[in-house]
Amino acid sequence: MTTEAAARRVFRSKVDSIRPTYGFEDVSLAPGTDTVEPSDVDLAVDIAGIRLAIPVLAAAMDAVVDARSAGALAALGGLAVLNLEGVQARFDDPDAVLERIATAPDGEVQDVLAEAYAAPLREDLVARRIEQIRAAGSKVAISATPAAARRWGPFCADHGADLFLVQSQVSSARHLASGYEPLELSEFTRLMPIPVAVGNTTNAEAAYALMEQGAAAVFVGVGPGAACTTREVLGIGVPQVTAISDVAAARDAYAAATGRHVPIVGDGGMRRGGEIAKAIAAGADAVMLGSPLARAEEAPGRGTNWGMAAPSPTLPRGTRIRVGTVGTMERILFGPSHVTDGTENLVGALRQSMAALGARSIREMQGVEIVHAPSVATEGKSWQQRGR
C-alpha cells in the first residue's frame, strides 16, 4: 500500500519550472526579405524629451563621465549621465582623486575607493558641474540613488539639469523600508519640473508600475556590466536579451493602454556593435554604455573603470577593471576601426546591421526576428579559435 501511494505521489520542484532566459551570446538576428542602404538608416531617438542623433548614453560612472566626456559625446549625437554621488560632486580637483584610484595597486584600490567616496557631497560642486556640462555643449542628465533623489532632484532641476535619473541596483514601484521614509515615485515625478527616468529593472510588471508612476524612461539591466559584480555577490540578475524584451513588452502594453511611449534603455553587458544591435532588436530604444566608453581618450578613468557600487565600505558590488585607452570617443563610436572584434565603430556596426535587416529606424529594428542560436559565435570559426 505504501509503495502504491508513493508511486502516485507527484513532487513539484522549482527547477521543473525554470524559465529559459537569453543573453547576447544565446541569440542571433535573422535576415528577412528586405535590405536598405546604410545611409538611409535613421538612428535618431527621443529619450525623455531629449532628441539624440544616436541611441547611445554614457553610463553614470566616474571613470566614464565628466564635463569633458559629456561634451564629446554630445557632439557625436549621444548623451552622458553624470553620477551625482561620485567624485565630481565631492572634490574641487576630481582629477587627482581619479588618478589615485586608477593607479592604486589591486590590493589597495577598495580602500582608496571607500575613502574617496566618504567625502561629503557639496552643493556648490553639483551646481558647478551642471554649468560645466552645459558649457561643454551638452544637455545635462544627472543620476542619483533613491535615497539621495528627494534631496538632490529639485536642486539639480533648479540649477539647470534637463533629466534626472533615479538609479538603483533594483528599482520597484513598491520599495519597503524601515528607519527612513522611502521615495514615493509618483509624488516625486509629479513635483519635479524636469523628466524623471528610473532604473534599473528586469521585470515587466515592475516596469509597467514605474511607468504608471510617471517614469519618463526605464533603464534595464541588473548586473551585466563589465565592472559590476552584483550577480556574483548577490546572485541576482536576468540575461539582457530576456530582460530587455520583457520590459519592452511592458512598454508596448502601457503605450497601447495610455498612448504614452516610455522609452527603455538597455544598460550594461554590451561591448560590441553586434550586441548593441541585439539590444535594439530585443526592444531597447537606446543603450547605455560604460566600459566601452571608458576606453576613450576623453574618459576621466585613465583606462580603468569601476562599478557604481564598488565604493561601498561594507558590501562592494563592483570592481576596478583595466580597459585600456584605445582612441578617441569618435573612433570608438564612428571609426575607423583598428580592430576586427567589433569593439570599435559601434554606431557604424549598428547602422550596417540595421541596413542588412531592412530596418530604416530604431522602431523597425525592434521588429526584426531574433533566433535562439547558441552556436552562432563558434559555427565555422575553428581557425579563429585556434589562433586565440
Side-chain angles (χ1 to χ4, degrees), residues 115-138:
E115 178 185 355
Y117 287 78
L121 296 172
R122 290 167 43 187
E123 287 188 352
D124 62 317
L125 290 179
V126 173
R128 187 189 309 173
R129 302 310 177 212
I130 292 174
E131 181 181 345
Q132 289 173 337
I133 291 172
R134 189 166 299 285
S138 176

Side-chain angles (χ1 to χ4, degrees), residues 343-360:
T343 58
E344 296 179 11
N345 197 1
L346 301 176
V347 174
L350 173 61
R351 182 182 295 277
Q352 188 69 39
S353 177
M354 291 174 63
L357 294 165
R360 293 178 175 84

Side-chain angles (χ1 to χ4, degrees), residues 74-341:
L76 297 171
L79 176 69
V81 182
L82 183 73
N83 176 17
L84 179 138
E85 295 170 78
V87 298
Q88 298 291 328
R90 299 178 191 270
F91 298 96
D92 287 297
D93 181 18
D95 285 344
V97 179
L98 291 164
E99 178 71 25
R100 200 157 66 244
I101 294 171
T103 57
D106 290 343
E108 300 175 16
V109 67
Q110 214 60 51
D111 292 336
V112 173
L113 283 166
E115 178 185 355
Y117 287 78
L121 296 172
R122 290 167 43 187
E123 287 188 352
D124 62 317
L125 290 179
V126 173
R128 187 189 309 173
R129 302 310 177 212
I130 292 174
E131 181 181 345
Q132 289 173 337
I133 291 172
R134 189 166 299 285
S138 176
K139 294 285 189 179
V140 182
I142 304 290
S143 172
T145 60
R150 182 183 288 103
R151 161 74 179 85
W152 290 101
F155 181 89
C156 290
D158 290 344
H159 286 79
D162 299 289
L163 172 65
F164 194 79
L165 169 60
V166 181
Q167 193 167 32
S168 61
Q169 180 177 271
V170 177
S171 293
S172 70
R174 297 187 301 274
H175 177 68
L176 307 180
S178 60
Y180 71 94
E181 183 183 358
L183 182 71
E184 178 59 49
L185 182 60
S186 59
E187 180 185 8
F188 186 72
T189 58
R190 180 173 56 83
L191 296 177
M192 281 283 284
I194 60 175
V196 176
V198 184
N200 282 22
T201 188
T202 60
N203 180 276
E205 288 287 350
Y208 197 97
L210 293 172
M211 295 172 195
E212 287 183 311
Q213 294 197 1
V218 175
F219 285 64
V220 181
V222 173
C228 181
T229 60
T230 294
R231 293 180 177 178
E232 294 88 343
V233 175
L234 301 183
I236 63 175
V238 176
Q240 279 291 66
V241 170
T242 293
I244 292 169
S245 181
D246 286 353
V247 176
R251 173 202 60 205
D252 295 343
Y254 183 78
T258 66
R260 185 169 78 97
H261 177 89
V262 180
I264 66 170
V265 180
D267 179 11
M270 292 155 283
R271 287 188 57 230
R272 299 176 172 84
E275 292 158 352
I276 295 173
K278 292 176 185 180
I280 301 293
D285 295 284
V287 298
M288 175 173 263
L289 304 178
S291 294
L293 298 183
R295 306 169 77 215
E297 292 174 359
E298 298 92 338
R302 294 154 175 77
T304 66
N305 192 22
W306 52 93
M308 285 178 282
S312 169
T314 56
L315 189 63
R317 296 173 304 285
T319 184
R320 184 195 63 185
I321 59 174
R322 301 189 183 278
V323 297
T325 300
V326 300
T328 64
M329 191 174 295
E330 182 174 13
R331 175 174 142 191
I332 291 170
L333 291 176
F334 288 94
S337 177
H338 294 207
V339 295
T340 60
D341 62 1

Side-chain angles (χ1 to χ4, degrees), residues 31-88:
T33 58
D34 299 328
T35 59
V36 299
E37 284 296 316
S39 59
D40 291 334
V41 171
D42 181 9
L43 298 176
V45 65
D46 187 289
I47 301 295
I50 299 175
R51 189 68 173 173
L52 303 179
I54 59 173
V56 174
L57 289 80
M61 307 172 87
D62 279 350
V64 180
V65 176
D66 63 2
R68 180 190 179 207
S69 66
L73 182 56
L76 297 171
L79 176 69
V81 182
L82 183 73
N83 176 17
L84 179 138
E85 295 170 78
V87 298
Q88 298 291 328

